Amino acid sequence: MSRTLTSRALMSRVLMWIRGHLVVLAGLLALAYLVLPNLVVLAFSFNKPVGKFNYEWNEFSTDAWTDPCGVADMCQSLSLSLQVAVLATLGATVLGTMVAFALARYRFRGRSATTAMIFLPMAMPEVVMAASLGTLFLNMRIPFGFTTILIAHIMFCLSFVVTAVKARVMSMDPRLEQAAQDLYATPTQTFLRVTLPLAAPGIAAGALLSFALSFDDFIITQFNSGPTTVTFPMFVWGASQRGIPVQVNVIGTAMFIAAVVLTVAGQWLGNRRKAAA
């Protein structure tokens, strides 16, 4: 009888603990679900498959890490994807920041329509935007290649930058800029020393999101690329027909680690600033 009461009390305590930490447990499970595929990619980057397909574990090996460019044309496609992602991020961040400030700070005719048009690429399927841009380039007789991919990626990433920066600008306290003006700061000084630092988190978030979307995009790139412009996602798609090499797992793992490092560094800097303030 005493053992039964003890087990019931223990079970009751366990249930109470689970109820008290249910949100945390759900968050950890969701995080594990998101991270698990990356861990699988990491594990199989050290695999030495028997055939062309890296689907079954065979033997531990670091050959792919010591020679990441051992597959023909893979590093060229990776370099192209990085170039397009960096330039698209710069273009979308600059244009998106200006559009976000205009929509958040000014009232003008057509503002509501502009806001709707900005959010339209986020709502429509990628294939619709990709086909529309491809048709536009054909009608304007623009040769498909690096330029068309870059323009398409900037158009695609622009909406995400505007969303991130606009949310940050609308949450900023205008009294800080007014205080700078009361202290005889010029408009340029106010923008560089007050407005821009306050909007920097939103700008950084939009830039990082643009880089990730541009580097990862396949559909828009496929519709607007030329015969000699093969990005990394297109290379992976083509390689899947004949067997994806282990080096693809290496590149994916490296990008995942870089993203984690940037996220942790940004969080650490943010906490350090809050502590200093």
Side-chain angles (χ1 to χ4, degrees):
M1 186 71 177
S2 59
R3 291 182 178 179
T4 304
L5 293 175
T6 303
S7 61
R8 288 181 178 178
L10 181 61
M11 183 62 67
S12 177
R13 290 181 180 179
V14 171
L15 291 176
M16 291 180 60
W17 185 88
I18 292 176
R19 290 175 183 176
H21 299 81
L22 187 60
V23 176
V24 177
L25 292 175
L28 292 176
L29 289 175
L31 182 62
Y33 178 78
L34 293 174
V35 174
L36 182 61
N38 297 283
L39 298 180
V40 174
V41 171
L42 170 63
F44 276 86
S45 67
F46 293 98
N47 186 30
K48 188 175 183 179
V50 177
K52 296 180 179 180
F53 296 95
N54 187 24
Y55 298 151
E56 296 182 359
W57 183 264
N58 178 53
E59 180 184 351
F60 180 85
S61 175
T62 58
D63 294 342
W65 283 91
T66 56
D67 188 18
C69 295
V71 180
D73 299 329
M74 193 188 73
C75 282
Q76 289 84 343
S77 64
L78 176 62
S79 176
L80 179 61
S81 289
L82 291 175
Q83 292 177 33
V84 172
V86 170
L87 294 177
T89 298
L90 292 175
T93 302
V94 173
L95 292 175
T97 300
M98 292 189 293
V99 172
F101 270 95
L103 294 176
R105 292 291 181 85
Y106 299 97
R107 300 291 183 269
F108 52 89
R109 182 177 299 178
R111 179 173 174 267
S112 300
T114 303
T115 303
M117 292 298 293
I118 286 294
F119 289 106
L120 191 60
M122 300 175 61
M124 70 170 61
E126 280 190 46
V127 66
V128 176
M129 185 175 183
S132 302
L133 289 171
T135 304
L136 175 64
F137 294 141
L138 281 174
N139 292 333
M140 297 182 64
R141 301 184 183 277
I142 300 177
F144 287 94
F146 183 86
T147 303
T148 54
I149 295 176
L150 180 60
I151 294 174
H153 281 214
I154 292 176
M155 293 291 294
F156 172 64
C157 297
L158 185 63
S159 300
F160 296 91
V161 177
V162 173
T163 303
V165 179
K166 183 182 177 183
R168 179 63 181 179
V169 172
M170 294 184 68
S171 65
M172 290 165 48
D173 190 353
R175 292 175 296 181
L176 297 175
E177 297 171 279
Q178 295 172 3
Q181 296 171 359
D182 291 340
L183 295 173
Y184 304 102
T186 63
T188 303
Q189 291 175 331
T190 302
F191 178 78
L192 294 178
R193 297 187 179 183
V194 179
T195 307
L196 189 59
L198 291 174
I203 298 174
L208 291 175
L209 185 59
S210 296
F211 182 87
L213 291 171
S214 177
F215 182 84
D216 185 59
D217 183 77
F218 172 77
I219 298 177
I220 292 178
T221 307
Q222 179 73 9
F223 274 79
N224 298 278
S225 62
T228 59
T229 50
V230 179
T231 60
F232 186 69
M234 295 175 64
F235 174 86
V236 175
W237 179 81
S240 64
Q241 308 300 318
R242 57 185 183 274
I244 298 177
V246 184
Q247 283 80 356
V248 171
N249 294 58
V250 174
I251 300 301
T253 302
M255 296 298 296
F256 172 71
I257 293 175
V260 171
V261 170
L262 286 175
T263 303
V264 173
Q267 189 68 30
W268 179 76
L269 289 175
N271 294 336
R272 188 176 180 181
R273 288 182 178 178
K274 289 181 180 179

